Structure formats: structure tokens, C-alpha cells
């Protein structure tokens, strides 16, 4: 039976209402505008206002029950009495909603894994899906680029809210998908969106500064990510951890203390899946690694040394969920790069190459530039900016990263949102005094492409796969890869 026409009681969803009141639920809603007759409306606390402010509207739309916290119950008190609707009050309504959504939709792919970390989530999830597909399994990856693979659908968030997430997992399972690799963002973990997902394994890539506009400090940011292992991964799940990152070692100790299985990855001498060496060429790299006492080698058509780590983290997830190691390692040379992740998008007539990457944190920008350097014979040029209405502290750090690792830098607008664009650029330029300021992103890309000489490479950083630029409250069409192609065509006299 599809969602329409389905009925569950509150107790069947693991929920208990005040006064023991029962309700027959016909659907779940987190937006009061989506409420229909019989729905359970989740009135959740928000950053700007509490969802309970909309309870009266939800009740008028026919909500049979309201799920909220104590504050929400107080806000909704005036309208609940006469409605006859059941009121469910919990300390953690987000988690309660996640488990209710899991019970409501029921089905999930048989094998689900999740990966968290500041950088690399999309690549690891995508590579894991590609490995499974190469082994003949019906697989998808879920995250920043939507749902891709054997079944596809767009998503608005890296980690969707629970109702959408569990609906998507159920629809994927109904479509025959047996394996799913998910990105687990810190926001999603903090807001309990993944709770109720039945994981077989979880991976950690790395940790650096990001999202401090949302999390109060580094400890809170790491605690959110650690929740994937502390709370979501079941006791019989496997933790796949990058030991090269200090926080990966912290997680390894915590997971080991719970006696969960661990598969470690990295250059660290204790890593089970260990990188021994990498050789870089213009079009990719050769990765030398070891597993179970045997040295192996794979030619990867991927740019950037960090991609070697991402590939082995993905291989670790596949092995951890039951795939034969030799079969997994055999298909690694078939992996293709992820859209907007160190993607080669254009080339000048004289050989200058243009790459697009999602790097939008100081660590990610530094890593991307350092990773690209061994593939480049000439100069390394970068076009970058920083997002508005986000962590302001990382802006000068972005400038410092570009100054330290690029030969020529152009500072431009990213997604300024509602902030003053010039102020964002000034904050970056404080640490990049020699960078060239070009406010218009299209012009900056054109000038970056124009600066390329034979053997040079241009990295356009910050937006990656995105196809829009957010200025104020409006999203304008903008694609870095498309702009790069147009610039190359114009400068080289080609037809775009």
C-alpha cells in the first residue's frame, strides 16, 4: 500500500499522547501547509521560531495529532483543548519524528551506509555506489547531488528531514534498490534526521572548520558528527575510519570502547587498508596500497591525492558490508569523478586546464590546491569567494589558503545571500593582499581562464555542482563549469 490510504495509530508509530489519547494517523507533516486530514503534525523548535506557532493552522487543516516538546506544548495549549487532537510531548521531538517516520514508511534498502566528515562526503558516497554497481548491485547514493544511481530523485538538502528521507528510502527500496550510501551532514545529525535509518556501516572522512554559523564551537560541531557513531550506528554495525585525521583516531577509541567492529583507512601505519604511495599524472594517479598483508595497485582517473583516501574509504564501506575484498579492489580503476568535485571542465587550445571543485572551507580549498599541484607543470590559478550568512571567521582563512597554495588568485562572489558582497570580499582580501578582486563571478572566471598559459591550471572553487548563485533571497542561474566552457570558447575563438 502506498502512503495514501495508509493508517497507523500513534502507538504503532512508537508515540504516546498525553492522557493516553489515541489517534488514527493518515500521514506525517513537518510543514503546516502540507497537513491533511488525520496527519501527525511535528511542531519542532527552529532557529527563528518554534513550529508550535503554526499548530492552530495545522489543526484547521485537519491534524489528528501534534508532536512537540514542552515549549511547543505551552505555545500550542490555547488551541489544543477544543480541537480533540492528541498531543505528544517528548524531550527530543526530532528523534521521535525520525523513528515514527521509519515505522511509517517501513521499507529501506537492505544495505545502507552513511559517511560524515567536513569534506569528501559526496565523493565517498558516490564512489561507494559506483563500486556496488560495478559488482552488479542495484545501488544509489543520497546527498548533496540528490539521489543518483539505479533510481534517482532531486533533494533540497544534503540530509533531508526525516519524513522526506524515509519516504525516499522506501521508494528506492520499492524500485528494487538494495544498497544505498548516504551523506550525513552535521546539521542532519544534530537534528536527528538519520535516526531510524538501519545502517550496516558508517564512515568518517576528516574534520576541519565549517558550519560555525550553526554550531557554537568546534566541540559542538564534532559532537554532531560523532553522533553518527555514538547514536545512529547500531552495535553490530562497522565503523570505517580515516586514521590520518586526529578526530578519526578519537572516534576509533570511542568505537573500540563499545566493542564495535572497526575498519581503518589511511597512510597511518596502523590502518588496515593502508595507502603506501601515489604517483600523479596529468589525467589521474596510480595508487599503491595494502590490505591483509598484500600490496596492491590501482590506476585511478581521478585528480587529487585526497581522492585516493576517498576511494579507499569507499572500498572499506563495501568490504565492511559484505563485498569480497578482491572483487572490490578489482573495480576501483573503473571509478569516475563526481560532478563538481575536482572536475576537469575545459581546456585551452594551448593546454591550460580548468577544474571545478566544491571546496568552500579553508581546509578544503588548501587541500584542493595542494592536491592539484602535482598534476600541474606550470602555475596554479584559483578563482574563489566565500558564502554570505555563514561562518564569517573562515573568510580570511580562505584568503590565507589561496595565498599559500596558488600562484595567482582572483577573489570574487560566491553565494553572498543577504550580506554585503564587498564586505565579504574585503574579509578574504585581508589575508590575500596580492589577490585580484573581481566582483562579478563570470568575469572572474573569464579572467582566470585568460591568465592560463601552457601547462597552467585553473581551479574554480566554492560552488562545484551548484547551478545557481544566491544573491539576496533570489537564486540566479549560474554554473561554474558552463561559465568556464563559455570563457574558453570565447578566448580561443571556438563555437561554445
Amino acid at each position: 500500500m502506498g502512503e495514501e490510504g495508509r493508517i497507523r495509530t500513534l502507538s504503532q508509530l512508537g508515540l504516546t499522547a498525553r492522557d493516553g489519547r489515541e489517534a488514527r494517523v493518515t500521514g506525517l507533516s513537518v510543514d503546516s501547509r502540507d497537513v491533511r486530514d488525520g496527519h501527525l503534525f511535528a511542531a519542532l523548535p527552529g532557529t527563528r521560531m518554534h513550529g508550535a506557532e503554526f499548530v492552530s493552522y495545522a489543526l484547521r487543516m485537519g491534524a489528528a495529532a501534534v508532536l512537540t516538546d514542552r515549549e511547543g506544548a505551552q505555545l500550542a495549549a490555547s488551541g489544543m483543548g477544543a480541537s480533540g487532537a492528541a498531543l505528544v510531548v517528548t524531550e527530543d521531538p526530532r528523534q521521535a519524528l525520525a523513528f515514527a517516520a521509519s515505522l511509517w514508511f517501513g521499507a529501506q534498502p537492505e544495505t545502507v551506509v552513511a559517511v560524515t566528515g567536513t569534506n569528501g562526503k559526496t565523493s565517498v558516497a558516490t564512489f561507494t555506489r559506483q563500486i556496488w554497481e560495478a559488482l552488479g548491485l542495484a545501488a544509489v547514493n543520497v546527498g548533496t547531488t540528490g539521489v543518483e544511481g539505479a533510481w534517482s530523485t532531486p533533494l533540497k538538502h544534503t540530509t533531508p528531514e526525516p519524513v522526506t528521507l524515509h519516504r525516499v528510502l522506501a521508494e528506492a527500496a520499492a524500485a528494487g534498490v538494495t544498497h544505498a550510501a548516504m551523506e550525513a551532514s552535521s546539521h542532519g545529525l544534530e537534528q536527528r534526521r538519520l535516526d531510524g535509518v538501519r545502517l550496516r556501516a558508517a564512515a568518517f572522512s576528516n574534520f576541519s572548520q565549517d558550519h560555525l554559523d550553526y554550531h557554537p564551537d568546534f566541540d559542538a560541531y564534532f559532537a554532531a558528527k560523532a553522533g553518527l557513531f555514538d547514536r545512529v550506528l547500531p552495535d553490530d554495525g562497522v565503523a570505517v575510519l580515516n586514521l590520518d585525521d586526529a578526530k578519526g583516531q578519537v572516534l576509533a577509541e570511542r568505537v573500540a570502547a563499545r566493542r564495535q567492529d572497526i575498519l581503518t583507512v589511511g597512510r597511518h601505519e596502523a590502518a588496515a587498508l593502508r595507502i603506501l604511495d601515489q604517483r600523479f599524472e596529468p589525467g589521474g594517479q596510480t595508487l599503491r596500497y595494502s590490505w591483509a598483508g598484500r600490496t596492491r595497485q590501482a590506476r585511478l582517473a581521478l585528480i587529487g591525492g585526497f581522492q585516493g583516501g576517498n576511494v579507499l574509504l569507499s572500498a572499506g564501506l563495501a568490504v565492511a558490508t559484505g563485498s569480497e575484498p578482491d572483487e572490490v579492489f578489482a573495480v576501483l580503476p573503473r571509478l569516475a569523478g563526481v560532478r563538481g568535485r575536482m572536475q576537469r571542465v575545459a581546456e585551452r587550445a594551448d593546454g591550460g586546464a580548468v577544474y571545478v571543485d566544491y571546496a568552500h572551507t579553508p581546509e578544503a580549498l588548501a587541500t584542493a590546491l595542494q592536491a592539484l599541484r602535482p598534476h600541474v607543470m606550470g602555475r596554479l590559478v584559483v578563482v574563489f569567494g566565500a558564502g554570505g550568512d555563514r561562518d564569517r571567521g573562515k573568510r580570511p582563512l580562505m584568503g590565507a589558503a589561496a595565498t599559500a597554495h596558488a600562484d595567482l588568485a582572483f577573489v570574487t562572489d560566491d553565494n553572498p545571500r543577504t550580506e554585503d558582497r564587498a564586505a565579504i570580499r574585503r574579509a578574504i582580501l585581508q589575508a590575500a593582499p596580492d589577490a585580484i578582486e573581481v566582483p562579478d563571478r563570470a568575469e572572474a572566471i573569464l579572467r582566470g581562464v585568460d591568465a592560463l598559459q601552457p601547462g597552467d591550471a585553473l581551479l574554480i572553487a566554492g560552488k562545484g555542482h551548484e547551478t545557481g548563485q544566491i544573491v539576496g533571497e533570489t537564486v540566479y542561474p549560474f554554473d561554474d563549469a558552463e561559465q568556464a566552457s563559455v570563457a574558453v570558447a570565447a578566448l580561443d575563438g571556438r563555437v561554445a
Side-chain angles (χ1 to χ4, degrees):
M1 179 186 293
E3 183 179 359
E4 186 176 349
R6 180 185 304 167
I7 295 177
R8 296 282 190 275
T9 63
L10 286 176
S11 57
Q12 287 174 322
L13 298 177
L15 302 173
T16 302
R18 282 185 172 178
D19 302 324
R21 184 173 298 181
E22 189 59 276
R24 289 163 59 84
V25 177
T26 61
L28 309 177
S29 297
V30 293
D31 187 326
S32 61
R33 294 168 295 185
D34 297 331
V35 172
R36 300 292 182 268
D37 283 338
H39 273 210
L40 167 71
F41 172 56
L44 306 175
T47 55
R48 297 181 179 177
M49 64 176 60
H50 201 292
E53 300 281 357
F54 302 96
V55 164
S56 295
Y57 179 80
L59 293 173
R60 289 199 300 272
M61 297 297 291
V66 174
L67 168 65
T68 191
D69 57 10
R70 292 181 182 180
E71 179 186 356
Q74 292 177 345
L75 290 171
S78 61
M80 289 296 302
S83 71
L87 178 63
V88 180
V89 182
T90 74
E91 292 296 323
D92 194 341
R94 293 184 182 279
Q95 186 176 59
L97 173 64
F99 283 113
S102 176
L103 291 169
W104 176 265
F105 290 102
Q108 297 179 20
E110 297 169 13
T111 298
V112 183
V113 302
V115 55
T116 195
T118 304
N119 304 306
K121 295 186 294 295
T122 302
S123 292
V124 171
T126 304
F127 292 153
T128 304
R129 184 260 297 171
Q130 291 182 14
I131 289 171
W132 282 331
E133 286 185 323
L135 297 178
L137 303 169
V140 296
N141 57 276
V142 182
T144 306
T145 54
V147 181
E148 300 176 316
W151 178 79
S152 63
T153 190
L155 296 175
K156 292 182 179 179
H157 302 286
T158 298
T159 307
E161 47 79 18
V163 177
T164 299
L165 175 59
H166 285 282
R167 178 187 293 115
V168 164
L169 290 176
E171 290 175 351
V177 172
T178 59
H179 289 65
M182 298 176 52
E183 298 178 48
S185 69
S186 61
H187 294 69
L189 289 164
E190 177 72 18
Q191 296 175 12
R192 306 300 196 260
R193 298 179 196 172
L194 275 85
D195 291 53
V197 177
R198 298 186 287 274
L199 296 179
R200 292 274 304 278
F204 171 80
S205 59
N206 50 60
F207 182 79
S208 62
Q209 180 168 342
D210 198 13
H211 301 308
L212 295 188
D213 55 304
Y214 177 83
H215 302 287
D217 52 40
F218 275 107
D219 289 340
Y221 178 36
F222 178 66
K225 291 193 172 297
L228 179 62
F229 304 91
D230 296 341
R231 188 183 71 253
V232 184
L233 184 68
D235 291 341
D236 59 352
V238 182
V240 182
L241 306 173
N242 172 23
L243 281 189
D244 293 342
D245 190 287
K247 293 297 187 182
Q249 297 177 32
V250 170
L251 286 174
E253 294 175 359
R254 286 161 65 160
V255 171
R258 293 195 296 272
R259 300 183 183 278
Q260 285 178 293
D261 289 339
I262 304 174
L263 193 161
T264 52
V265 176
R267 292 182 177 274
H268 195 285
E269 60 183 11
L273 190 49
R274 185 183 179 192
I275 298 175
L276 301 176
D277 201 3
Q278 288 169 283
R279 185 179 68 224
F280 304 101
E281 303 95 28
Q285 61 187 283
T286 299
L287 179 68
R288 190 166 176 263
Y289 62 100
S290 64
W291 168 261
R294 177 182 167 189
T295 298
R296 304 161 188 266
Q297 192 163 289
R299 175 69 173 81
L300 306 174
L302 301 169
I303 298 296
F306 64 89
Q307 290 286 40
N310 287 339
V311 165
L312 291 193
L313 207 60
S314 303
L317 282 170
V319 171
T321 51
S323 295
E324 281 296 323
D326 286 344
E327 294 180 5
V328 170
F329 301 144
V331 302
L332 297 186
R334 295 163 58 179
L335 299 181
V338 180
R339 180 167 57 92
R341 303 306 194 271
M342 205 58 79
Q343 179 185 1
R344 189 176 179 124
V345 296
E347 183 175 326
R348 294 294 306 271
D350 60 10
V354 184
Y355 296 88
V356 167
D357 191 77
Y358 191 52
H360 59 281
T361 69
E363 180 70 20
L365 182 59
T367 298
L369 290 168
Q370 288 176 294
L372 188 54
R373 177 71 73 178
H375 301 272
V376 180
M377 295 180 63
R379 299 175 308 157
L380 192 50
V381 184
V382 64
V383 171
F384 74 107
D389 300 333
R390 297 293 185 268
D391 179 10
R392 300 186 179 196
K394 72 180 184 182
R395 294 168 188 173
L397 300 178
M398 297 282 286
T403 297
H405 303 293
D407 301 300
L408 177 62
F410 293 87
V411 174
T412 189
D413 291 342
D414 191 288
N415 289 318
R417 299 184 176 86
T418 63
E419 277 198 67
D420 176 56
R421 291 181 272 181
I424 297 173
R425 296 193 301 272
R426 282 197 300 271
I428 298 171
L429 290 163
Q430 288 177 4
D434 295 329
I436 300 170
E437 182 179 8
V438 185
D440 182 79
R441 192 171 182 90
E443 181 185 349
I445 291 173
L446 177 65
R447 293 182 62 175
V449 171
D450 189 39
L452 292 178
Q453 299 174 5
D456 291 350
L458 167 64
L459 176 67
I460 305 170
K463 294 174 60 59
H465 64 283
E466 294 177 357
T467 56
Q469 184 177 33
I470 308 171
V471 181
E473 302 287 348
T474 304
V475 180
Y476 296 96
F478 196 97
D479 186 318
D480 282 352
E482 181 181 280
Q483 289 294 327
S485 296
V486 169
V488 168
L491 291 168
D492 288 351
R494 305 175 189 173
V495 176

